[in-house]
Amino acid sequence: MNCIETKNLTHTFSGGETALKDINLQVPQGSLYGFLGPNGAGKTTTLRLLLGLIKKQKGEILIFNQPFSTHRIELLKQTGSLIESPSLYGHLTAAENLRVLQKVYQCPEQRINEVLEIVGLSHTKNKKTSNFSLGMKQRLSIAIALLHSPSLLILDEPTNGLDPNGILEIRDLLKKLNTEQNMTIIISSHLLAEIEKMVTHVGIINKGSIMFQGTLDELHLKQKQTAVIKFETNDPEQTARIISANGFTPVLLHGAVSIPVTEEKTVAGLNKQLVQNNIEVFQIHHVKNDLESIFMDLVKNDAQ
Ligand code: ATP
């Protein structure tokens, strides 16, 4: 079952700019879904629509299989979110900040200690938040989002501006929430490397359109499919001609000739032919694109 599903979600701002075009998001229940895209791609607009923070114009939003438009309050009660850093009261401690919101949300008082424990801030609960690091502030913000025990968490770039250690802390926290509490989490980011190590699913958005959506394994498969065998020789043109005569469509780039990954025996055969044609073969290597370049390719192809 999908925890979040959108159907042809489209949004145009008053200036006439279409920020989202036919977004069909599918966030499976229990997934940790990375919503990825460069700046201005439409991530925040999508997440705001999911939370009813901006009015939906076109398309459908289903959360827990129910239309958001008719079950808004009920669905928001099951959803925790962090869209913009909430204004924390700097002169109050973490526990005091949480107490203010616990009263607003009318949730049990014991939740304060529970969420402090979950985000790993129990030991600093008496420190004023103005003295918190950015990472601690983000964790406290997540604690606030968890106060009412939601089963879905929507986070907009929670790792933005954090140092590697802060990113690691948020990553561990979200993984824990996802696996130990079976919480479905959608987290946006503009850096694949930041979320790649924690997510189970990925959605890539660019210029308001979804470019890829699937499991992390499916994205890895795409990575495999774009891997190449690269030949570096003293005569790239002649190398390309010989390889081409063997039924391949080689790509000549920066003085190297690439073909899609093929069997080792075939590579050995090509190498033999090159040598027999007096070509000096310097290197033959298997080049795997990292996920970041797959992401860049998806985004770049769309820009052309
Ligand atoms: P970032 O990572 O920079 O936050 P994003 O992927 O979250 O980017 P959005 O903030 O959703 O992108 O913006 C998508 C597009 O909509 C952008 O071109 C942005 O300029 C435009 N946009 C966003 N909010 C408004 C608004 N209130 N009025 C007009 N245009 C807007």
Side-chain angles (χ1 to χ4, degrees), residues 76-94:
L76 286 177
K77 278 187 183 162
Q78 299 171 65
T79 309
S81 66
L82 176 58
I83 294 293
E84 271 154 19
S85 295
S87 23
L88 302 170
Y89 298 104
H91 63 290
L92 299 182
T93 66

Side-chain angles (χ1 to χ4, degrees), residues 42-60:
K43 304 177 297 289
T44 307
T45 307
T46 308
L47 300 184
R48 282 178 165 274
L49 280 164
L50 294 179
L51 289 160
L53 294 172
I54 45 178
K55 203 168 177 316
K56 182 182 64 113
Q57 298 165 343
K58 211 169 148 203
E60 259 183 83

Side-chain angles (χ1 to χ4, degrees), residues 264-301:
E264 281 179 350
K265 268 194 168 167
T266 313
V267 177
L270 289 172
N271 181 39
K272 199 170 172 185
Q273 281 188 42
L274 294 173
V275 175
Q276 283 169 348
N277 281 278
N278 294 323
I279 289 179
E280 292 173 31
V281 179
F282 304 140
Q283 276 195 62
I284 299 177
H285 42 169
H286 186 169
V287 184
K288 254 200 212 164
N289 275 327
D290 57 8
L291 283 183
E292 202 67 47
S293 27
I294 303 281
F295 168 49
M296 292 311 289
D297 273 356
L298 283 166
V299 171
K300 205 169 57 207
N301 287 345

Side-chain angles (χ1 to χ4, degrees), residues 117-118 171-181:
E117 183 68 37
I118 293 171
R171 185 186 296 158
D172 288 346
L173 167 62
L174 298 183
K175 265 178 157 168
K176 192 171 84 175
L177 287 170
N178 177 244
T179 51
E180 291 177 14
Q181 311 213 6

Side-chain angles (χ1 to χ4, degrees), residues 13 17 19 38-45 157:
F13 282 106
E17 188 180 353
N39 288 334
K43 304 177 297 289
T44 307
T45 307
E157 308 230 19

